Amino acid sequence: MFEEPVRRRGMASLTPLIDVVFLLLIFFMLTTSFLQTQSLAVVTPAPSADELPTDARVIEIWLLGDETIAIDGQPVARDVLAESLKQAIGERTDLTVTILAEKGSKTQALIAAIEAARQSGAKSVGTARVERIAR
Amino acid sequence: MIEFDQEPPRRQFETLIPLINVVFLLLIFFLLAGTMQPADNVAVTLPKGALNDKERELPATLIVEADGFVWLGDRVMDAKLAGHFVKQHLGEEGARRVAVKADRDAPAEAVLELMEGLREAGVEQVTLVTERGS
């Protein structure tokens, strides 16, 4: 009466399985991120530069508009910033480190300066932004 | 004349099995090694940093774009006014600490201006998000 159903030979076709697995693979490849983020906690700065101490017990990091960094007027390379600052401070860890950002300086330099100030062992760090640093 | 044995023709699925093995392996690698994060409204290139304070689960994330504009959720604002918005958005209590994702090319003065505004709004600590590497 009815035809006998055709018996499939051996294993069923693998193509749909492969399709689905490829789809999943591409989905995970596109949605995952391997970016390792870290966090740097800073206390929010005083609203104006006037509140920062300006006497001799201050060391200034200048973030200049041409994307270079200077410590108290001496230009330093970014990768030796932490060491130079440590040298400049020496034993006088009661110094205040002030970070002055000139117009045109970038956040990358600011982060580098904040980290250097933190690693140098100075007790207090202040930040201020200025239009132009008088040299 | 030398005669070789003819290899019997393989069936289709047999040749596919190594491929499937590799694809499964890749799939499991991406499943285990990757972390999924909800995407931000704006893509920023995070600055590179060396220190990690391991601050987590901050109530709000502000994003500073490379041109200095600040995003909070789906709203864009000037760096100067962001403090006010944060206060409005989170209330007095909720916003003691906020995270700031700044582009590495964002002007430093915009970030500082933002932090000053946040201080006026009552935020005591800002967490700058950086990427590992120096």
Side-chain angles (χ1 to χ4, degrees), chain B residues 1-14:
Chain B
M1 190 147 33
I2 310 166
E3 273 186 40
F4 294 106
D5 286 335
Q6 285 262 312
E7 221 178 284
R10 286 191 172 195
R11 274 182 291 171
Q12 193 198 9
F13 63 86
E14 277 178 13

Side-chain angles (χ1 to χ4, degrees), chain B residues 5-133:
Chain B
D5 286 335
Q6 285 262 312
E7 221 178 284
R10 286 191 172 195
R11 274 182 291 171
Q12 193 198 9
F13 63 86
E14 277 178 13
T15 57
L16 278 174
I17 285 171
L19 170 76
I20 298 165
N21 287 345
V22 170
V23 170
F24 261 114
L25 214 87
L26 281 171
L27 180 68
I28 290 162
F29 168 74
F30 278 103
L31 264 166
L32 296 181
T35 47
M36 277 207 264
Q37 298 169 328
D40 290 320
N41 287 339
V42 237
V44 291
T45 326
L46 292 173
K48 289 188 190 289
L51 302 176
N52 193 357
D53 292 326
K54 299 204 171 85
E55 295 274 344
R56 280 177 193 279
E57 289 171 29
L58 294 153
T61 304
L62 290 156
I63 300 171
V64 185
E65 269 187 296
D67 56 6
F69 282 103
V70 178
W71 289 76
L72 175 61
D74 52 1
R75 278 179 296 183
V76 63
M77 61 200 86
D78 195 81
K80 218 175 281 180
L81 305 168
H84 175 73
F85 275 98
V86 169
K87 205 175 184 177
Q88 218 176 41
H89 186 68
L90 295 169
E92 290 276 345
E93 288 306 304
R96 288 269 174 274
R97 300 181 306 160
V98 295
V100 171
K101 272 187 182 177
D103 195 287
R104 69 174 65 148
D105 290 326
E109 49 177 16
V111 178
L112 290 176
E113 203 170 16
L114 170 68
M115 296 200 323
E116 287 162 18
L118 289 173
R119 186 196 179 105
E120 277 172 36
V123 177
E124 284 153 8
Q125 188 188 299
V126 168
T127 300
L128 296 166
V129 182
T130 57
E131 188 190 314
R132 188 179 301 183

Side-chain angles (χ1 to χ4, degrees), chain A residues 4 12 18-19 24 38 41 48 55 69 77 93 95 97 99 103 110 115-117 124-125:
Chain A
E4 282 271 306
I18 298 165
D19 286 351
L24 282 170
Q38 356 178 68
S48 77
D55 55 24
I69 301 176
T93 47
L95 282 171
V97 176
I99 299 165
K103 211 178 175 68
L110 178 67
E115 291 196 335
S124 61
V125 179

